[in-house]
Amino acid sequence: MKYIQERLGHKSMMVTADVYSHISKKLDQNRIKDYEKYVPSIVELDS
């Protein structure tokens, strides 16, 4: 979030968080789904 604040020139982190926090949540959800798809392939290789 700090990186986004600096890049966009927001003086307050709260402005950045209010505007962009939904994007971060969506990215986190996508990463979790990708990880859940990836893990079984690792487990199969170890078997």
Side-chain angles (χ1 to χ4, degrees):
M1 209 50 80
K2 182 70 175 166
Y3 173 77
I4 296 170
Q5 174 199 5
E6 291 173 355
R7 294 285 295 180
L8 295 176
H10 294 158
K11 290 183 181 182
S12 166
M13 179 74 82
M14 291 305 297
V15 171
T16 308
D18 288 345
V19 174
Y20 294 99
S21 64
H22 71 282
I23 295 171
S24 294
K25 290 177 187 174
K26 180 89 171 165
L27 289 172
D28 286 342
Q29 290 171 347
N30 288 343
R31 282 190 213 125
I32 290 168
K33 287 179 186 175
D34 290 344
Y35 181 75
E36 288 173 343
K37 290 178 187 176
Y38 175 70
V39 169
S41 68
I42 295 173
V43 173
E44 289 176 9
L45 291 175
D46 289 340
S47 298

